[in-house]
Amino acid sequence: MPRGRGRTARTAALLALVLILAGGAVTGCGGRATTHHKPGTTHEQASGNVGTLLTTEDGAGHRLREVPAEGAPEVQLAARPDSEDGWNLQLTVKNYRFTPDSTGGAALPGAGHAHLELDGRKLARLYGPWFHLPAAQVPEGAHTLTVRLYADDHTAWAVSGKPVEGTLQLTAAAPGGTGGHGHTPPPSPATPEADRTVSVTVRDGKVSPAPARTELRRGERVTLRVTSDRADTLHVHGYDKELTLPAGQEATLTLTVDRTGLFEVETHESGLVLTQLLVR
């Protein structure tokens, strides 16, 4: 090969390699914007361009990410009784948006997810403004619900050294009793039987029986009974229904399918599809 042609080929190959590396620096796997950091450096430390990463934590092991009060994320929590079971919680946010598709990525201004706690114990991770809290997860008596806002890298948004959060007092009555708090009466203890029951077991990352479609008619009631060998959260897409799955214990969620379509039931943490609800 002539010397000039060989030099040209090598130059072209080096240029192509530079372009590939430059593209990888902009997007990670799947095209998601991300950051790259040195070995031994945590993702929290590498994505510290937004606000100031503090050494203090939120009480659950997440470091605080301090931002100025002006334009900072805000959240308020409200609860209303669900007609079938428990309460429907609503998060009203300001200067903030939920970004479930980028969870685990770099911290971006005014974006991320939320955690829900009952008396300081985490119940679920929230990716939207609505969450269904079953009555079975709230023991009898007075409780404090807390919702806290997090960045995509799991640091907690903070102002003046305090996490950005909202709280709500909730009183749960004994089964068959009466009670509630200010604007949230207790759910009715009488619950009609379900038309269909789907029982699923999750063990070692596998779903049994294998995920399949559960066919239902609009207006029917379906009960999901799930036992997982690890703590997780069940989510029914399209209905904004979630259920905490304690490790090794059966958890139950009953809902009325009042809209047609195909809706996946999956786990948040492990990302497993448990079943599909086909409503006609």
Side-chain angles (χ1 to χ4, degrees), residues 233-238 240-243 264-268:
T233 303
L234 175 146
H235 181 210
V236 183
H237 287 278
D240 290 328
K241 298 286 189 180
E242 293 195 352
L243 175 67
E264 285 192 342
V265 180
E266 66 171 4
T267 56
H268 268 320

Side-chain angles (χ1 to χ4, degrees), residues 56-64 117 120 148 150 156 163 165:
T56 52
E57 299 180 347
D58 64 350
H62 301 275
R63 294 177 66 180
L64 303 186
E117 295 181 352
R148 188 176 303 120
Y150 291 81
E165 60 186 33

Side-chain angles (χ1 to χ4, degrees), residues 180-276:
H181 72 84
H183 302 287
T184 309
S188 171
T191 302
E193 293 185 0
D195 299 289
R196 294 287 303 276
T197 298
V198 179
S199 298
V200 177
T201 299
V202 179
R203 184 178 298 277
D204 297 328
K206 296 181 180 180
V207 180
S208 179
R213 290 186 177 180
T214 302
E215 296 192 13
L216 299 158
R217 294 191 303 272
R218 183 176 180 180
E220 285 188 324
R221 291 170 55 81
V222 60
T223 292
L224 303 172
R225 299 184 182 277
V226 181
T227 303
S228 174
D229 61 349
R230 55 172 290 185
D232 211 321
T233 303
L234 175 146
H235 181 210
V236 183
H237 287 278
Y239 285 88
D240 290 328
K241 298 286 189 180
E242 293 195 352
L243 175 67
T244 298
L245 303 177
Q249 300 180 27
E250 182 182 78
T252 302
L253 173 64
T254 300
L255 71 151
T256 299
V257 288
D258 55 5
R259 66 188 73 173
T260 58
L262 183 63
F263 308 97
E264 285 192 342
V265 180
E266 66 171 4
T267 56
H268 268 320
E269 302 298 332
S270 55
L272 298 174
V273 175
L274 306 185
T275 188
Q276 294 179 323

Side-chain angles (χ1 to χ4, degrees), residues 82-161:
D82 185 89
S83 60
E84 297 177 355
D85 171 65
W87 297 265
N88 290 318
L89 308 182
Q90 182 181 16
L91 283 65
T92 302
V93 297
K94 183 179 180 181
N95 303 322
Y96 188 80
R97 67 189 188 280
F98 292 97
T99 52
D101 291 340
S102 58
T103 300
L108 299 177
H113 55 276
H115 288 184
L116 177 67
E117 295 181 352
L118 177 69
D119 300 331
R121 177 176 60 87
K122 181 181 174 182
L123 290 181
R125 184 188 296 175
L126 311 185
Y127 298 93
W130 288 95
F131 178 81
H132 177 250
L133 178 62
Q137 296 186 28
V138 184
E140 177 185 357
H143 304 277
T144 299
L145 284 174
T146 302
V147 63
R148 188 176 303 120
L149 299 184
Y150 291 81
D152 284 329
D153 68 347
H154 304 290
T155 53
W157 293 112
V159 174
S160 300

